[in-house]
Amino acid sequence: MRQLIIIGSGPAGFTAGIYAARAELKPLIIASSVETGGELTKTTEVENFPGFPDGIQGPDLMIKMQDQAEKFGAEVLYDDAVEVDLTGEVKRVTVGNGTTYEALTVIYATGSAYRHLGLPEEQTLSGHGVSWCATCDGFFFRQKNIAVVGGGDSAMEEATFLTRFADKVTVIHRKDTLRASKIMQDRANADPKIEFAWNKEVIGIQGESAVTGVTLRDTVDGTESELALDGLFIAIGNDPRTHLVHGQIDIAPEGTIAVEGRSSRTNLPGVFAAGDVLDPTYRQAITAAGSGTVAALDAEKYLADLDPELLARADGNTPSEPVTASERVSA
Ligand code: NDP
């Protein structure tokens, strides 16, 4: 049994890992089988993370965080948590290969997932013109005619970024006013390549092997129309990844994990949350990192107050030799 398992490997998970490892809690970080590093591994330049005045590539930032956590003794497991039992004194986390790990504390830092429109073609044409990540896929749409769905900051950011590549970007929004902040709206409004399709929702996506267009429905009068397109970027928000803990951990009205005050403490003793999974508002790499710090300190305090006999049972950590981030990338 371990003292601490951290589920998630974004800025929250790895920062919690750095703090917990330095406190000699020998954390096991369950880092995902495909997406170690979280959402930042899908971005390019990160210009607002303190300490990098010239910016840093998102994947590089995450590798540095992982290396820092491993340097102090965190063990990183490249697998997904598929089942958790967090209600008892001993927490159990089962991963994709069927192994169950036990720990006295768990930090839940699973982030959030891009929201989908709910259309069947979204899946079949994903990677063939349907995308959730302009920075990942924008390059493939040089001189193309594309659209972005959504009216928030993400949609404005994606649309503005995509004008670097595309000839025309249509923002499809279901209302006639944007939710985005004024500065992001102004930037999009001033861009000659951006047009707006107001009061429209996407009800179908056309294309066999690649997107050729969408069917729109007017949200005011219900009329339907077709829009020819080469690509569709969906930027309608994120949902916190809480599905594993439903029925175990209290969820806030916003859908995020509920925590006590400014702490990371959930309703379950020994279970802490960090990062976007508890944050419906700020959702920045640096706020997630700060939140990971809070969770590690809360976990450390909880462990320090536990019965020494129980704690002694968690001293039997026998971590396997971890693969470092640099080895993983060069492999
Ligand atoms: P938001 O929740 O702010 O906006 C989501 C948008 O998508 C809304 O306009 C919403 O419409 C629309 N939408 C939601 N569901 C659907 C649907 N099923 N079909 C069609 N449209 C839909 O999410 P964001 O990702 O834009 O932003 C999340 C947070 O991150 C915000 O706090 C934002 O400020 C922040 N952020 C900040 C950035 C920055 O400052 N650089 C960049 C990106 C995000 P409706 O308005 O009708 O509800």
Side-chain angles (χ1 to χ4, degrees), residues 1 3 104 303 306-317:
M1 182 167 63
Q3 294 187 66
L104 292 173
L303 286 163
L306 277 186
D307 177 359
E309 273 184 30
L310 183 61
L311 200 54
R313 283 175 51 201
D315 279 349
N317 283 351

Side-chain angles (χ1 to χ4, degrees), residues 115-126 130 132 205 234:
R115 204 170 281 159
H116 289 213
L117 293 168
L119 301 170
E121 305 92 346
E122 243 174 321
Q123 299 308 325
T124 51
L125 290 168
S126 170
V130 174
W132 284 263
I205 308 171
I234 299 166

Side-chain angles (χ1 to χ4, degrees), residues 13-50:
F14 279 144
T15 305
I18 293 166
Y19 272 76
R22 285 193 78 246
E24 307 213 317
L25 303 185
K26 301 188 188 95
L28 173 69
I29 302 176
I30 299 178
S32 155
S33 57
V34 287
E35 259 185 19
T36 299
E39 296 299 325
L40 274 192
T41 58
K42 297 178 191 157
T43 62
T44 50
E45 192 85 349
V46 178
E47 292 180 323
N48 54 9
F49 201 89

